[in-house]
Amino acid sequence: MRIDRTVVKQLPLFAKMNDADLDRLLDSATAKRVPQGEAVFEQGQNAISFFLLLHGRLKVLQVTEDGQQIIVRMVHPGDLFGFAKALQRMDYPGTAMAAAESVILCWPTDLWPQFVESNPSLAITTMQTIGQRLEEAHTRIREMSTQEVERRVAHVVARLTTTAGKKEGSGIRIDFPITRQDIAEMTGTTLHTVSRILSAWESKGLVEGGRQKLLVRDLNGIMLLANGGKERD
Amino acid sequence: MRIDRTVVKQLPLFAKMNDADLDRLLDSATAKRVPQGEAVFEQGQNAISFFLLLHGRLKVLQVTEDGQQIIVRMVHPGDLFGFAKALQRMDYPGTAMAAAESVILCWPTDLWPQFVESNPSLAITTMQTIGQRLEEAHTRIREMSTQEVERRVAHVVARLTTTAGKKEGSGIRIDFPITRQDIAEMTGTTLHTVSRILSAWESKGLVEGGRQKLLVRDLNGIMLLANGGKERD
DNA sequence: CGCTGTATTGACAACGTTCAACGGTTGTGG
DNA sequence: CCACAACCGTTGAACGTTGTCAATACAGCG
């Protein structure tokens, strides 16, 4: 099966590649559809492939020994994911699950060196990406150490709005099905607390809730909460 | 100034290098003594050097806009640190401060490519290190999301015991000056809570406290707490 | 039409923070 | 050498945010 290069050509990741190289790359790729709720790979599995998200939305989960779950991060269209081997790991450190129906490209991990060689800027981009992830993780640790729950939830909602927002009439819709439980797992709290916070926000006109839905009506207000709306100087 | 290769020869990082290459590397390095409490570099500074800790102990800090501090990680002898440039960053994401009197080697960041070239296994090791850090960060996020304070403190103490422990008579001494505040900043709590927990442990015979001191008497007991001493099956 | 998963809300408990006071140790300067 | 300040640590008490438990409601789906 041949994958048309137009589906990836506009991604910044491949912008600098010539068509021949790109075609060669795509020839070794497999496209796959992932229905909502299905896992692309599971935590602890042998890392035999790495992936690119073309369409849809994934969440990367980790499960603790006692069964609790956290969402490590969301994967957005255009993102590479599951490149554990690039970090010298044999297995996937988390589970990648489709939050919405998704389409991915898969390559065998053996091809990673080749992949990098035919697109040297990829090595740099990958390093940058990892660096960003590390920084994000530290930001999250800092927030969980020092900030109260409402502010953390505000931060997550603000980020989701900018990374997965879709303008819709009077506000911005989070463009994939998301539950209170999801938000709780992203912020390190319980769905109860999230529900209370969102209810409070709704009565203030900041957001509009709904079953697996979230519409942000006042992004500015949310961002104010996220950046410490209390003490300003 | 010439640095004798015997000071680094036994480090796993340089084990595979031949003496000539090693000498060349050391020729471009500067050795420096850092007194306790002094910073090697500060958060936000331009990343002009990368470093190796020869002796002593460093803590890497981040400060929030509102002045709160967290300890991102400890740096132990033999660790590379401050290689922001390898992650395509221009500035240091945190501050590296000497927790005890320390000795470091410094290289200009421009030499990083050369560094890697003359020691290819370094590229791999570095990737591994970064991967580990990312994983550690996620572990910490997971713990802060799901575990109570005492367990997190137990985990930190257990880790410190294995990475910076020194046998001393009836127990294991944490080998650098550490305050309750430090432990609080590593676990995302307050020095008060840490003090209470350590007092409780002391009365159970698990540890022995002291001013900027910590002696672990029953590592097993601590580890039991860290791994959920409550619910076992 | 009943079942399952999601969401809301109240009551309550608790863990941990905040506020406060105090004691001990270390280091400094007169 | 002593007095004093600065820092570190301990402990008590009160408060509050947030988690836990529980009951109910609602939507989607077979």
Side-chain angles (χ1 to χ4, degrees), chain A residues 62 64 68 70 72 86-89 124 127-128 130 133-135 137-138 141-142 144-146 188, chain B residues 62 64 68 70 72 86-89 124 127-128 130 133-135 137-138 140-142 144-146 188:
Chain A
Q62 284 188 357
T64 62
Q68 301 217 61
I70 66 153
V72 173
L87 292 168
Q88 308 297 123
R89 280 193 64 107
I124 310 222
M127 284 293 84
Q128 253 168 1
I130 308 259
R133 289 214 194 139
L134 195 55
E135 201 173 346
H138 286 154
I141 291 173
R142 218 172 39 232
M144 296 193 54
S145 298
T146 62
Chain B
Q62 284 188 356
T64 62
Q68 301 217 60
I70 66 154
V72 172
L87 291 168
Q88 305 299 123
R89 279 193 65 108
I124 308 217
M127 285 293 84
Q128 252 168 3
I130 309 259
R133 289 214 194 139
L134 196 54
E135 201 173 348
H138 286 154
R140 202 160 151 190
I141 290 173
R142 218 173 39 233
M144 296 193 54
S145 298
T146 61

Side-chain angles (χ1 to χ4, degrees), chain B residues 96-113:
Chain B
M97 175 170 291
E101 157 123 13
S102 299
V103 179
I104 60 175
L105 288 184
C106 317
W107 288 268
T109 37
D110 315 334
L111 258 55
W112 179 258

Side-chain angles (χ1 to χ4, degrees), chain A:
Chain A
M1 173 183 47
R2 163 155 286 250
I3 297 153
D4 196 277
R5 78 175 83 93
T6 57
V7 299
V8 297
K9 187 66 185 178
Q10 81 278 12
L11 295 177
L13 199 59
F14 301 104
K16 288 179 190 155
M17 288 184 75
N18 65 53
D19 288 357
D21 279 350
L22 198 51
D23 280 347
R24 205 154 41 77
L25 221 60
L26 290 177
D27 275 347
S28 49
T30 317
K32 209 176 148 194
R33 177 188 152 272
V34 188
Q36 179 174 347
E38 193 167 289
V40 177
F41 54 79
E42 307 246 3
Q43 186 172 0
Q45 264 181 8
N46 217 292
I48 51 170
S49 305
F50 64 94
F51 310 87
L52 174 70
L53 180 62
L54 285 181
H55 181 81
R57 207 72 62 167
L58 303 179
K59 43 187 174 184
V60 179
L61 309 169
Q62 284 188 357
V63 184
T64 62
E65 323 77 52
D66 55 335
Q68 301 217 61
Q69 243 182 32
I70 66 153
I71 296 184
V72 173
R73 72 174 213 279
M74 301 297 305
V75 180
H76 306 283
D79 288 357
L80 282 174
F81 66 100
F83 47 102
K85 272 283 177 52
L87 292 168
Q88 308 297 123
R89 280 193 64 107
M90 297 308 294
D91 57 346
Y92 298 112
T95 298
M97 176 170 292
E101 156 122 14
S102 300
V103 180
I104 60 176
L105 289 184
C106 318
W107 287 269
T109 38
D110 314 335
L111 258 54
W112 178 258
Q114 197 175 321
F115 204 80
V116 171
E117 198 182 348
S118 72
N119 185 0
S121 77
L122 190 70
I124 310 222
T125 314
T126 308
M127 284 293 84
Q128 253 168 1
T129 306
I130 308 259
Q132 274 165 21
R133 289 214 194 139
L134 195 55
E135 201 173 346
E136 276 165 27
H138 286 154
T139 301
R140 202 160 153 190
I141 291 173
R142 218 172 39 232
E143 290 182 347
M144 296 193 54
S145 298
T146 62
Q147 299 175 0
E148 53 186 7
V149 175
E150 184 177 26
R151 193 161 161 187
R152 305 203 305 260
V153 174
H155 192 228
V156 163
V157 171
R159 163 167 312 211
L160 286 175
T161 310
T162 54
T163 57
K166 198 176 179 182
K167 232 188 149 198
E168 179 181 314
S170 49
I172 305 171
R173 157 100 32 223
I174 305 297
D175 198 25
F176 60 93
I178 185 169
T179 67
R180 314 291 139 127
Q181 177 72 37
D182 287 334
I183 298 180
E185 286 173 12
M186 290 192 243
T187 50
T189 179
T190 62
L191 75 163
H192 306 277
T193 304
V194 172
S195 182
R196 281 182 237 277
I197 289 173
L198 289 184
S199 295
W201 287 358
E202 188 152 8
S203 66
K204 282 186 204 159
L206 290 171
V207 300
E208 249 171 61
R211 189 187 179 74
Q212 305 200 27
K213 280 177 180 44
L214 191 55
L215 178 75
V216 177
R217 299 194 72 84
D218 179 5
L219 180 53
N220 248 322
I222 301 282
M223 284 183 155
L224 220 71
L225 284 173
N227 298 316
K230 287 167 189 169
E231 48 249 321
R232 292 261 107 188
D233 38 67

Side-chain angles (χ1 to χ4, degrees), chain B:
Chain B
M1 172 182 48
R2 163 154 287 252
I3 298 152
D4 197 278
R5 78 175 82 91
T6 55
V7 299
V8 297
K9 188 65 186 179
Q10 81 278 12
L11 296 177
L13 198 57
F14 302 102
K16 286 179 191 156
M17 289 183 74
N18 65 53
D19 288 357
D21 280 348
L22 197 51
D23 281 346
R24 205 154 43 75
L25 222 59
L26 290 176
D27 275 347
S28 49
T30 316
K32 209 176 148 195
R33 177 188 151 274
V34 188
Q36 179 173 348
E38 193 168 290
V40 177
F41 53 79
E42 306 246 4
Q43 186 172 1
Q45 263 182 9
N46 217 295
I48 51 171
S49 304
F50 64 93
F51 309 86
L52 174 71
L53 180 62
L54 284 180
H55 181 80
R57 207 72 60 166
L58 304 178
K59 42 187 173 183
V60 178
L61 309 169
Q62 284 188 356
V63 184
T64 62
E65 322 79 48
D66 56 332
Q68 301 217 60
Q69 243 183 34
I70 66 154
I71 296 183
V72 172
R73 71 173 214 280
M74 300 298 305
V75 180
H76 306 282
D79 287 358
L80 282 175
F81 68 99
F83 48 102
K85 272 284 177 51
L87 291 168
Q88 305 299 123
R89 279 193 65 108
M90 296 307 294
D91 58 348
Y92 298 112
T95 297
M97 175 170 291
E101 157 123 13
S102 299
V103 179
I104 60 175
L105 288 184
C106 317
W107 288 268
T109 37
D110 315 334
L111 258 55
W112 179 258
Q114 197 174 319
F115 205 81
V116 171
E117 197 181 350
S118 73
N119 185 359
S121 77
L122 189 70
I124 308 217
T125 315
T126 308
M127 285 293 84
Q128 252 168 3
T129 307
I130 309 259
Q132 273 165 21
R133 289 214 194 139
L134 196 54
E135 201 173 348
E136 277 165 26
H138 286 154
T139 301
R140 202 160 151 190
I141 290 173
R142 218 173 39 233
E143 289 182 348
M144 296 193 54
S145 298
T146 61
Q147 298 175 3
E148 52 187 7
V149 175
E150 184 176 26
R151 194 161 159 188
R152 304 205 303 262
V153 174
H155 191 227
V156 163
V157 171
R159 163 168 313 209
L160 286 175
T161 310
T162 53
T163 57
K166 197 175 179 182
K167 230 186 152 200
E168 179 182 314
S170 49
I172 305 171
R173 156 99 35 220
I174 304 298
D175 197 25
F176 61 92
I178 186 168
T179 66
R180 315 290 139 131
Q181 178 71 37
D182 287 334
I183 297 179
E185 286 173 13
M186 291 192 241
T187 50
T189 181
T190 62
L191 75 163
H192 306 280
T193 304
V194 172
S195 181
R196 282 181 235 278
I197 290 173
L198 289 185
S199 295
W201 286 357
E202 186 152 10
S203 67
K204 281 186 205 157
L206 290 170
V207 300
E208 250 171 60
R211 188 189 181 73
Q212 306 200 44
K213 282 178 178 46
L214 191 55
L215 178 75
V216 176
R217 299 195 72 85
D218 179 5
L219 181 54
N220 247 323
I222 301 284
M223 284 184 155
L224 220 71
L225 284 173
N227 299 315
K230 288 164 189 171
E231 49 250 319
R232 293 259 108 188
D233 37 70

